[in-house]
Amino acid sequence: MELPYAEPYRIKMTEAIRTSTRKERERWIKDANYNLFMLPSEYVFIDLITDSGTGSQSDRQWSAMMLGDESYAGASSFYNLKNIVEKLFGFKYMLPTHQGRAAENVLFSALIKEGDVIPGNSHFDTTKGHIEYRRARAIDCTIDEAFDTQIEHPFKGNVNVAKLDAVLTEFGPERVPFVCLTVTNNTAGGQPVSMENIREVSKVCKKHGVPLLFDSARFAENAYFIRMREKGFEDKTIKQIVAGMYKHADMMTISAKKDGAVNIGGFAAMHDAELYRRASTFNIMFEGFLTYGGMSGRDMNALAVGLDENTEFEQLDARVRQVEYLGARLDEFGIPYQRPAGGHAIFVDAYKVLPNVPREEFVAQTLCIELYLEAGVRGVEIGALLADRDPVTRENRFPALELTRLAIPRRSYTNNHMDVVAVALKNIYDRRETITRGYKITAEAPIMRHFTVELEKA
Ligand SMILES: *Cc1c(COP(=O)(O)O)cnc(C)c1O
């Protein structure tokens, strides 16, 4: 008999989580104005709101923290981080920041002017926010297959290269400061970009003289999928594939809270010395001095180890297998989600799970609330709330997909927890005919409203 799979680590420390009753949860979610971001975490049983900064760190990372150098200038921790960044990605210049959006703020301050256009593959929400805040525009050039949740395509994060070429032809290098390639494509469901597509995107960028930026939060998962799904990479290590991907990038921003496997941190990195100099000023202004930016020495040390460990195949394999396990449980119950399962999360197709809730009443948010009420599971809406209003017309934007994202923190939950999530969704799916109303907005911020929006029952 073939031996079953088991994770390549054992658990050294545990953290208690509390259960609750449906009655309690009804009160708590109402008090939070039906916004799960406003819910104290102690009222959550299984927290899948994000895998960002919420994973467990290894014993090597914790011990590296004890060796953190907290010097203001020239800390050894900075050089530890700088060295691994150069080794993995090939960039000579690196600016540490407190997280991914800070790296965007620093780098975009040096790159984007009003009226610019930044094409890419489904820009992440903070990325889009930092573009639109500068009165520039993000243009989504993701392949059409990404918008049909039921199509099985190995690289749904890919860019439609013809579309990108058309945008670059229309606006040219004067109005396109860079192309933004997100690996993996978070917004489209944690879907990877193939090496072939990376090469083609890079070629089109070069043709138009436009630099290529990789938004890199899940770069290691992207490399894992290239190894598993793209011909010619079966025998490559993750580190070799990462090097192959980043050969095509001129610069990167990263949220280290994802594949960096730390609780906080990020950086921007680039080849161009002149860009580094310009961005340095903004790093000093917004983040901190060049050799710590937004991070403490211990955090930079933990990140240096995290980047090294999390670019090993076994770690990524364990993680993606757990996401696939949850996907397989949902398949058993016929619950539709973005196929195939992404690297870090399952994106449940809320339009299909709650077919009777009107589009205007925030279908994916309604499913998030139902799931919380059912089992104390906290997911997150990737739908009309997240899409914000159109910056010009101020109308609500209703994206092609309404998704409830269940992001799985690294090395934190067991498959027993995944079973609870799957059965809770099944119970909701079984009574979908009875769920006919969603929610309406009573208060919202002008930009990135989903974090603080207040809702009531429609
Ligand atoms: C998380 C993320 C960001 C923003 O990073 P933060 O650390 O949350 O500020 C940007 N882009 C992508 C693709 C991300 O996943």
Side-chain angles (χ1 to χ4, degrees):
M1 190 172 171
E2 194 183 333
L3 291 174
Y5 176 79
E7 291 79 1
Y9 52 83
R10 55 184 176 178
I11 297 165
K12 212 172 209 170
M13 191 185 281
T14 61
E15 178 185 357
I17 47 178
R18 64 166 284 183
T19 53
S20 54
T21 64
R22 185 174 178 111
K23 227 182 162 67
E24 284 175 317
R25 294 193 291 273
E26 278 169 3
R27 194 173 76 239
W28 293 336
I29 190 68
K30 184 166 184 289
D31 288 347
N33 296 304
Y34 298 100
N35 180 342
L36 291 120
F37 283 104
M38 291 295 149
L39 210 53
S41 67
E42 65 194 301
Y43 297 163
V44 177
F45 180 47
I46 301 173
D47 203 351
L48 307 184
I49 198 168
T50 180
D51 62 326
S52 177
T54 54
S56 308
Q57 297 189 76
S58 70
D59 50 354
R60 277 186 63 214
Q61 286 180 288
W62 281 104
S63 55
M65 275 189 251
M66 293 303 292
L67 301 174
D69 178 352
E70 307 302 342
S71 303
Y72 190 94
S76 64
S77 304
F78 170 78
Y79 291 101
N80 291 339
L81 180 57
K82 182 181 183 312
N83 289 342
I84 184 88
V85 167
E86 187 161 0
K87 193 170 128 201
L88 283 176
F89 306 106
F91 292 117
K92 191 166 164 199
Y93 301 105
M94 186 271 294
L95 292 165
T97 61
H98 75 276
Q99 52 184 84
R101 68 199 68 186
E104 290 163 1
N105 188 31
V106 165
L107 197 58
F108 293 3
S109 292
L111 287 171
I112 299 180
K113 61 180 189 311
E114 187 172 337
D116 278 355
V117 163
I118 291 92
N121 53 343
S122 309
H123 309 64
F124 186 70
D125 57 349
T126 62
T127 317
K128 191 153 116 262
H130 273 293
I131 291 168
E132 291 179 352
Y133 179 74
R134 292 173 170 81
R135 298 184 188 284
R137 194 151 58 93
I139 298 183
D140 188 357
C141 301
T142 310
I143 56 171
D144 291 339
E145 286 89 334
F147 302 102
D148 181 337
T149 60
Q150 298 312 294
I151 295 180
E152 293 267 359
H153 183 295
F155 292 102
K156 271 187 172 175
N158 279 358
V159 170
N160 178 335
V161 179
K163 190 168 172 189
L164 174 66
D165 194 28
V167 172
L168 292 176
T169 305
E170 182 179 349
F171 295 100
E174 306 75 35
R175 287 187 60 198
V176 186
F178 59 91
V179 168
C180 179
L181 189 71
T182 313
V183 289
T184 61
N185 187 338
N186 193 339
T187 311
Q191 299 292 328
V193 180
S194 70
M195 190 72 89
E196 186 188 5
N197 195 247
I198 289 174
R199 277 192 213 110
E200 287 171 1
V201 167
S202 157
K203 219 162 98 187
V204 172
C205 287
K206 285 209 170 71
K207 182 176 111 185
H208 292 275
V210 170
L212 179 56
L213 175 141
F214 283 8
D215 184 358
S216 308
R218 303 177 199 285
F219 74 97
E221 287 162 15
N222 200 98
Y224 172 87
F225 284 122
I226 288 176
R227 176 173 150 146
M228 302 301 274
R229 297 179 184 171
E230 197 165 349
K231 236 175 105 58
F233 295 94
E234 307 79 7
D235 302 324
K236 298 269 187 277
T237 66
I238 298 298
K239 287 184 169 70
Q240 286 168 336
I241 296 171
V242 169
M245 289 163 59
Y246 280 80
K247 199 171 69 187
H248 301 284
D250 297 291
M251 53 196 161
M252 70 185 283
T253 51
I254 186 170
S255 168
K257 303 168 71 176
K258 281 62 167 262
D259 282 353
V262 291
N263 300 126
I264 195 83
F267 58 84
M270 66 286 286
H271 293 303
D272 182 8
E274 170 54 27
L275 175 62
Y276 171 72
R277 263 192 294 278
R278 271 190 293 142
S280 289
T281 308
F282 295 107
N283 208 60
I284 292 169
M285 245 163 43
F286 297 137
E287 293 292 303
F289 181 64
L290 302 177
T291 59
Y292 70 89
M295 297 176 79
S296 63
R298 58 181 171 273
D299 287 338
M300 288 190 284
N301 262 7
L303 176 55
V305 175
L307 285 170
D308 187 31
E309 284 184 349
N310 204 37
T311 43
E312 290 299 324
F313 179 79
E314 284 71 22
Q315 291 296 322
L316 292 159
D317 193 41
R319 163 164 185 67
V320 176
R321 276 172 185 267
Q322 187 170 48
V323 179
E324 283 169 355
Y325 176 84
L326 176 57
R329 291 304 322 263
L330 297 187
D331 286 342
E332 263 176 63
F333 302 135
I335 296 165
Y337 58 89
Q338 170 74 301
R339 313 190 71 87
H344 66 289
I346 292 288
F347 293 70
V348 181
D349 188 334
Y351 278 142
K352 292 199 167 79
V353 174
L354 297 180
N356 297 326
V357 175
R359 189 181 80 152
E360 294 71 25
E361 295 179 4
F362 305 107
V363 185
Q365 180 68 10
T366 304
L367 181 55
C368 287
I369 294 164
E370 286 295 322
L371 186 57
Y372 175 70
L373 292 172
E374 181 70 23
V377 174
R378 176 158 71 172
V380 72
E381 189 247 27
I382 309 277
L385 285 177
L386 179 70
D388 267 327
R389 289 175 190 275
D390 185 284
V392 181
T393 66
R394 302 308 297 160
E395 291 295 320
N396 271 318
R397 290 192 277 213
F398 291 100
L401 294 177
E402 281 278 330
L403 302 167
T404 290
R405 186 185 76 175
L406 307 169
I408 303 174
R410 292 165 183 77
R411 305 182 286 208
S412 299
Y413 291 107
T414 68
N415 285 357
N416 287 337
H417 294 109
M418 299 303 116
D419 289 338
V420 172
V421 176
V423 171
L425 274 168
K426 175 196 179 335
N427 293 345
I428 295 164
Y429 194 46
D430 285 349
R431 57 181 160 78
R432 61 188 176 278
E433 296 306 328
T434 66
I435 305 170
T436 56
R437 297 307 300 269
Y439 293 83
K440 59 178 190 234
I441 295 176
T442 56
E444 65 182 294
I447 197 165
M448 295 210 259
R449 64 181 178 181
H450 57 290
F451 288 122
T452 54
V453 70
E454 295 179 8
L455 300 165
E456 63 182 24
K457 285 187 179 164

